[in-house]
Amino acid sequence: MEVAVVGAGPAGLFCAVALARRGQRVTVVDRDGGPAADGSWDRRGVMQFHHPHGFRPQIGAAFQAEMPEVLDALTAAGAELVVFQGGNGLPAPPPGLRCRRAVFERVLRAFAEREPGVDLVRGHVDDVLRAGGRAAGLRVDGRELPAELVINASGRSARLAADLRGPADGGDCGLAYVSRQYSLLPGAELGPMNAPVGIIQTLSGYLVAVFLQDNRTFSALFIRPADDRRFSALRFDDAFQAAALAVPALAGWVTPDRSHPITPVLPGGRLHNTYRGQLDGNGGVGLPGLLHVGDTVCTTNPSAGRGIAVAMRQAVNLLLQLDEHPGDPEAAALAFDVWCTANVRPWYEDHVYWDADLLRRWDGGDVDVTRRLPSDLIMEATEADPSLWRVVGPYMAMEALPGSLDEVEPRVREIYASGWRAPAHPGPTRDELASVLADFGAR
Ligand SMILES: Cc1cc2nc3c(=O)[nH]c(=O)nc-3n(C[C@H](O)[C@H](O)[C@H](O)COP(=O)(O)OP(=O)(O)OC[C@H]3O[C@@H](n4cnc5c(N)ncnc54)[C@H](O)[C@@H]3O)c2cc1C
């Protein structure tokens, strides 16, 4: 069967190689032509490309099942396999990865290019061809590319075939990313860590993180309310460095005797929480033979680093549905949609609720014990009652859906109702950090 995949991002390339290994002939079309001859890769249209990425064990598990050689190639490129703790408290057997997104995609793309049965083509997909009520291929820069099956893996800004699906739920999550990549100096030790990826801390009104990556590189990150204009100066290199040095969790990494910056500051665009199923407004398959996967289905605020894990899980299930419904892509789409509603949509809903409440608290609101507590507060409460880990651990590891937290939510509400609050991390409040930035002004 001829398969056309729109998008050579993680979801599209993974599906392409896996389908080729099932005997299909796959053409992947992307408007991006891959790394330039000098090795640089801007990846316009994928704004998160140079922002930090944590690669959860679900990603390693998908590769191990379908194309384990990718993990070897990633390690050879300098990615570190890191053993995360699973929800049961034991090491999770598939490894997570510490790796720059650009290194991850470079390796995956090169791997797909070498895969027999996969053809990578540069071009802009204008539309999905339709014939006899089924998908019949793609229109790429005005030319027709015939195919019997079309997989839309065109990412979070996808407008492709929008008329064939119901509208997306959700939108802007109200938070913004600003990050910068650094390299550890020869012999320098790592900075402070509190997570497999590095360090993640919520301070008063904002969040900071360090993501360790391949080849002794790391990214330092601020996540802040998108509409707080006082933070726009963070996009300047000197302002970012001053702000990072003002926050102990970041200062321990970016101090000049431990590391040096290897990129300018990378300001992020708006971050989204969205969900969009396979079906059209009438609840039917809009076009049999067209399936949507990855960020075209779900995006979540990246601060929990779930995006590619969710995308890979989708891809694995999509392959399963295609295996189980040979020659019947409409049945595969229906079954995939049911699975996504049950297993993907909850991660979107989790973040919508969490982010709205976090922004409210960052604006001075207290924990509201009169209604269901968001997941971040439930996770924090493990500091007050470690027995909560039995339920919280599998959720954090994405081995259990957000609904699993319902079991402990009443207990956690009791904890907060008694007046307990998580101890504050050392560092400036958002107002104090804004005054550090005020010195750098608008330019
Ligand atoms: C700031 C930020 C940080 C993130 N951090 C993490 C993290 O720490 N961990 C994590 O797991 N996830 C993270 N994510 C999410 C992760 O980046 C996405 O889930 C991932 O990129 C989804 O992969 P994809 O293949 O579905 O789409 P994409 O990676 O977006 O790929 C889509 C591809 O389609 C191509 N394309 C689109 N339209 C067309 C067209 N019409 N014609 C031709 N080509 C087209 C694009 O060029 C692109 O190559 C983050 C996201 C953001 C925004």
Side-chain angles (χ1 to χ4, degrees):
M1 179 165 62
E2 298 285 349
V3 181
V5 176
V6 188
L13 291 177
F14 179 83
C15 288
V17 172
L19 286 167
R21 291 187 171 192
R22 285 164 171 74
Q24 321 296 357
R25 290 174 304 278
V26 187
T27 305
V28 186
V29 187
D30 203 299
R31 59 193 174 203
D32 188 299
D38 66 0
S40 62
W41 199 6
D42 286 347
R43 205 86 169 87
R44 290 180 62 196
V46 182
M47 75 79 165
Q48 68 268 38
F49 192 59
H50 293 292
H51 278 299
H53 275 66
F55 295 88
R56 286 173 171 269
Q58 287 79 9
I59 301 165
F63 284 133
Q64 262 175 2
E66 296 283 342
M67 50 200 89
E69 312 94 296
V70 171
L71 291 172
D72 300 333
L74 282 163
T75 328
E80 262 185 79
L81 302 184
V82 47
V83 177
F84 281 61
Q85 204 174 53
N88 55 7
L90 299 171
L97 289 168
R98 287 182 186 147
C99 190
R100 278 169 287 184
R101 164 81 185 248
V103 171
F104 176 84
E105 270 203 54
R106 208 178 279 265
V107 167
L108 187 55
R109 186 182 172 97
F111 183 80
E113 275 170 340
R114 289 193 302 272
E115 182 70 18
V118 176
D119 202 9
L120 261 70
V121 169
R122 183 174 195 175
H124 183 274
V125 177
D126 309 319
D127 204 357
V128 178
L129 300 176
R130 306 148 201 215
R134 294 176 64 103
L138 299 173
R139 178 167 299 108
V140 182
D141 294 323
R143 288 193 303 277
E144 296 197 348
L145 173 73
E148 293 142 80
L149 181 69
V150 172
I151 296 186
N152 174 20
S154 59
R156 67 184 207 136
S157 324
R159 276 171 279 282
L160 191 70
D163 57 316
L164 297 170
R165 292 164 92 185
D169 291 336
D172 192 333
C173 75
L175 297 150
Y177 256 46
V178 192
S179 74
R180 191 176 196 190
Q181 294 185 7
Y182 293 76
S183 183
L184 287 161
L185 299 176
E189 289 182 6
L190 303 181
M193 312 243 318
N194 69 359
V197 290
I199 190 163
I200 304 175
Q201 282 186 354
T202 305
L203 285 98
S204 172
Y206 64 103
L207 202 148
V208 295
V210 167
F211 283 59
L212 260 173
Q213 300 160 341
D214 55 281
N215 296 297
R216 289 177 57 80
T217 66
F218 66 88
S219 280
L221 168 69
F222 286 93
I223 304 177
R224 47 105 177 168
D227 58 8
D228 190 336
R229 298 274 160 238
R230 297 173 300 170
F231 283 78
S232 53
L234 266 183
R235 69 184 186 282
F236 302 122
D237 291 351
D238 51 358
F240 185 97
Q241 185 71 10
L245 287 171
V247 181
L250 296 184
W253 288 88
V254 305
T255 172
D257 53 14
R258 179 161 279 162
S259 64
H260 65 91
I262 53 172
T263 66
V265 175
L266 308 160
R270 311 295 293 203
L271 305 174
H272 300 160
N273 289 317
T274 57
Y275 181 81
R276 195 171 190 185
Q278 304 289 314
L279 308 182
D280 63 17
N282 301 317
V285 175
L287 187 68
L290 170 65
L291 291 130
H292 312 273
V293 68
D295 274 16
T296 62
V297 173
C298 181
T299 59
T300 51
N301 166 5
S303 53
R306 292 171 174 165
I308 301 182
V310 171
M312 288 299 169
R313 277 206 172 151
Q314 287 178 51
V316 167
N317 190 268
L318 176 59
L319 295 166
L320 179 79
Q321 302 304 344
L322 290 169
D323 289 345
E324 288 191 350
H325 301 93
D328 190 352
E330 183 166 8
L334 287 167
F336 184 47
D337 192 64
V338 169
W339 184 86
C340 286
T341 305
N343 295 283
V344 175
R345 191 177 169 98
W347 296 109
Y348 151 75
E349 289 171 346
D350 188 45
H351 256 300
V352 169
Y353 196 69
W354 166 356
D355 293 347
D357 197 68
L358 182 66
L359 284 167
R360 182 187 65 76
R361 280 178 276 130
W362 279 0
D363 275 342
D366 193 10
V367 174
D368 184 353
V369 290
T370 64
R371 60 195 183 117
R372 190 191 190 284
L373 294 175
S375 308
D376 65 319
L377 291 175
I378 297 177
M379 288 189 282
E380 279 182 6
T382 52
E383 287 191 49
D385 180 354
S387 76
L388 295 168
W389 275 114
R390 180 184 61 78
V391 172
V392 172
Y395 158 80
M396 284 179 73
M398 289 184 73
E399 291 167 6
L401 289 167
S404 61
L405 297 180
D406 291 352
E407 182 190 336
V408 293
E409 196 270 345
R411 161 76 189 125
V412 175
R413 218 183 304 186
E414 274 173 22
I415 292 172
Y416 284 100
S418 74
W420 181 86
R421 299 291 179 270
H425 295 293
T429 63
R430 191 160 91 233
D431 286 344
E432 288 162 349
L433 195 62
S435 44
V436 172
L437 291 168
D439 294 343
F440 295 88
R443 289 172 221 178

